[in-house]
Amino acid sequence: MTVLLAASPLSQPFFQHALLAGTAIAVASGLIGYFLVLRAQVFTGDALSHVAFTGAMAALAFGTDLRLGLFAATIAMALLFGALGRRARPDDVVIGSVFSWILGLGAFFITLYTTSRSTTNGTAGVSVLFGSIFGISSDSAAVAALLAAGIGLLVVLITRPLLFATLDEAVAAARGVPVHLLGYGFLALAGMSAAEATQAVGSLLLLGLLAAPAGAAIRLTDRPYPALALSAALAVLKMWAGLFASYTVPKLPPSFAIMAAATAVYAATFLIRRPAPGPRTRTAVPTSA
């Protein structure tokens, strides 16, 4: 019994830290991701995945905390998209050019960081790109869990008016719902959630953690509140599955294992046949804030 307990991943401090931070981050990502998908703002999540790397590398290059750059860059980009509105949907050439430039800027900052500063953290760029959840310290895990819990709580508090504004913006505005303020607030939370998710799965893969659980939940139910809860639950299950799989197979990177679980669950929803929506299965629009 003692041998089995010692072999259990739950007895390992690094796994406990990863599980604590990962669970909270997954809940926040699932809640935020549901609204990103419902509001057709997945493109914003894609933009955040690009800018997260550049923001983190800029912070390191200028000698500040990596997380400060992550949060500043992702929140600023999210608010910029909110300010631009529909104008933030240019043609594919502009999108590809801007995103490539942002990643190129990140490459410049990481070169500046590694060549101009005396540091032993030469793997910082790889960690930001692909995540390093098994390397998170106890203090960092606690901070990440608290921040993610705060994000999740704020999303829950604004869920009803945000749903109203999402499903029928004109009526919500006419009923006195602060539609634009809610939009900016939600995007700021999305930026914070992206910064948090980067610590778990990396900037290149964070879109999967935001979009895949929500996409699966929306395919499984049309009811907004159950779908929101299901999105968070699926995100947590995928996080747990990825962490345990990576621990069992040490050569399997945790970020890959998490994304593999997310992709598998989303793909499985296509095998489920749902009845055509009728008068009683259509998404209900809240009638008040």
Side-chain angles (χ1 to χ4, degrees):
M1 178 66 70
T2 303
V3 175
L4 291 176
L5 182 61
S8 170
L10 297 178
S11 66
Q12 305 298 323
F14 77 90
F15 193 91
Q16 295 170 3
H17 302 157
L19 194 64
L20 171 65
T23 300
I25 289 171
V27 170
S29 297
L31 296 174
I32 289 289
Y34 173 75
F35 282 106
L36 284 177
V37 174
L38 196 65
R39 294 167 66 88
Q41 290 180 321
V42 176
F43 171 74
T44 300
D46 189 26
L48 295 177
S49 69
H50 288 72
V51 77
F53 171 70
T54 300
M57 292 301 99
L60 290 178
F62 290 106
T64 59
D65 190 277
L66 180 149
R67 288 171 295 184
L68 178 61
L70 268 177
F71 280 91
T74 52
I75 292 174
M77 176 61 75
L79 293 177
L80 175 61
F81 271 85
L84 293 176
R86 288 183 172 84
R87 291 174 295 174
R89 300 175 185 175
D91 59 52
D92 293 342
V93 175
V94 175
I95 293 173
S97 299
V98 172
F99 282 6
S100 297
W101 178 79
I102 290 175
L103 285 178
L105 195 59
F108 166 75
F109 282 130
I110 194 173
T111 300
L112 185 64
Y113 168 64
T114 56
T115 57
S116 64
R117 294 185 176 276
S118 177
T119 177
T120 57
N121 190 12
T123 62
V126 175
S127 298
V128 173
L129 284 172
F130 300 105
S132 57
I133 193 167
F134 277 161
I136 194 169
S137 66
S138 58
D139 291 340
S140 296
V143 171
L146 287 174
L147 286 173
I151 294 169
L153 178 60
L154 289 173
V155 174
V156 170
L157 291 176
I158 66 172
T159 288
R160 185 175 178 81
L162 186 59
L163 271 174
F164 194 8
T166 298
L167 298 175
D168 200 329
E169 182 176 343
V171 174
R175 299 291 289 270
V177 177
V179 172
H180 294 296
L181 182 61
L182 272 175
Y184 280 111
F186 167 71
L187 286 172
L189 291 175
M192 296 173 64
S193 181
E196 286 283 278
T198 298
Q199 301 178 69
V201 297
S203 61
L204 289 184
L205 302 177
L206 72 86
L207 182 61
L209 190 59
L210 289 170
I218 289 175
R219 288 190 59 83
L220 292 174
T221 178
D222 289 323
R223 301 171 62 191
Y225 294 111
L228 181 65
L230 183 59
S231 178
L234 288 175
V236 171
L237 289 176
K238 294 165 186 179
M239 177 67 69
W240 289 354
L243 292 178
F244 279 97
S246 183
Y247 181 87
T248 304
V249 184
K251 291 186 178 181
L252 196 65
S255 54
F256 167 78
I258 295 167
M259 287 302 99
T263 303
V265 171
Y266 181 70
T269 62
F270 286 87
L271 303 177
I272 301 174
R273 290 188 176 183
R274 297 174 53 196
R280 297 188 178 182
T281 59
R282 294 171 59 188
T283 300
V285 180
T287 58
S288 66

